[in-house]
Amino acid sequence: MELAHYSDFAVRLVNTEEPARGKDSLASVEVIKELFGPASQMARRVTEADLPRFRAVRTRLRVVFTLADEGDHTGAVDLLNSLLLEFPVSPQISGHDILDENGRPRWHMHLADHSSNATTGYAAICAMGLAFHLTEFGADRLGLCQAPPCRNAYLDTSTNRSRRYCSDRCATRANVAAYRARKRLEADRPDRADRTGLTAENSQESVTPSDR
């Protein structure tokens, strides 16, 4: 379903905040405009009033990802349905701007912009995109990065549903941390064995002949 690609809008918005690190890049009108991308007409209507509204939508979208990541798929769907009701969209067939090799329109589905403000339009795109992605690929394809303290949102498009990290960088960092943890454990094992052996030897030496 080609409308599923709109789910990337939700990921971009959710990842403007890193709660565990106390970071929030959603701090200006320009940041919001960048979320829309250069070709969006809605970006031109962004004002300072959209900043708190975008943060509120972001909080709700993060909860959708959190519930899905925790396995509460019904809870994620319920919250997503509430967003769909609050921020409806108007799908339309488009193609005048994309032509095939014969010069004919390459018809495709497009979400028309009839929103009253930038937040409403963006939230509608996010909700519809996630809805199509969830119903097409499954709620377990919405996740949060498992490399602490990241917790960025991601969409799992792997063939075996194995994705656990938001980026190659986080995957590498988590693998290196796991490798070092294993090495520390392996290095500690001989020490523990030596200490155990020494303790057993001392116990044998402390036994008197009458005890034997």
Side-chain angles (χ1 to χ4, degrees):
M1 181 67 70
E2 60 187 22
L3 286 179
H5 79 275
Y6 282 107
S7 55
D8 289 335
F9 283 75
V11 172
R12 292 203 295 269
L13 177 55
V14 171
N15 291 346
T16 59
E17 182 183 30
E18 298 179 76
R21 293 189 174 108
K23 295 182 179 181
D24 185 352
S25 63
L26 193 61
S28 69
V29 167
E30 293 306 316
V31 173
I32 295 179
K33 289 181 178 180
E34 290 175 4
L35 291 174
F36 282 103
S40 175
Q41 297 294 322
M42 283 184 285
R44 300 177 183 178
R45 300 205 303 269
V46 177
T47 68
E48 290 289 340
D50 286 300
L51 281 169
R53 294 196 290 251
F54 261 73
R55 294 190 187 108
V57 172
R58 179 182 63 188
T59 297
R60 296 167 69 183
L61 289 172
R62 176 170 282 278
V63 175
V64 172
F65 278 92
T66 300
L67 292 173
D69 186 68
E70 294 174 348
D72 185 1
H73 298 166
T74 299
V77 169
D78 287 344
L79 180 52
L80 193 50
N81 275 334
S82 70
L83 288 167
L84 288 169
L85 288 173
E86 186 174 346
F87 303 105
V89 296
S90 301
Q92 290 184 347
I93 300 173
S94 181
H96 57 82
D97 55 340
I98 304 177
L99 304 180
D100 62 19
E101 60 277 7
N102 297 316
R104 294 173 299 191
R106 192 184 299 275
W107 302 113
H108 61 278
M109 292 301 297
H110 172 74
L111 298 184
D113 176 21
H114 301 306
S115 57
S116 58
N117 58 66
T119 303
T120 300
Y122 197 94
I125 290 174
C126 291
M128 182 59 71
L130 283 181
F132 275 107
H133 191 94
L134 186 149
T135 54
E136 180 75 5
F137 303 109
D140 58 340
R141 294 301 188 115
L142 278 60
L144 294 175
C145 186
Q146 299 301 302
C150 179
R151 304 300 284 169
N152 271 351
Y154 66 84
L155 299 168
D156 184 4
T157 56
S158 63
T159 56
N160 57 356
R161 300 174 182 266
S162 61
R163 184 171 179 179
R164 295 294 179 269
Y165 307 103
C166 68
S167 64
D168 290 339
R169 179 181 179 182
C170 276
T172 300
R173 182 162 55 85
N175 290 333
V176 169
Y179 172 78
R180 289 175 177 172
R182 288 195 300 271
K183 286 300 183 181
R184 286 194 297 268
L185 182 61
E186 292 171 0
D188 187 50
R189 283 172 181 168
D191 293 339
R192 285 187 296 176
D194 292 342
R195 289 197 298 271
T196 302
L198 182 60
T199 301
E201 182 179 344
N202 290 341
S203 298
Q204 290 294 326
E205 291 177 353
S206 65
V207 177
T208 63
S210 60
D211 293 331
R212 296 175 183 171

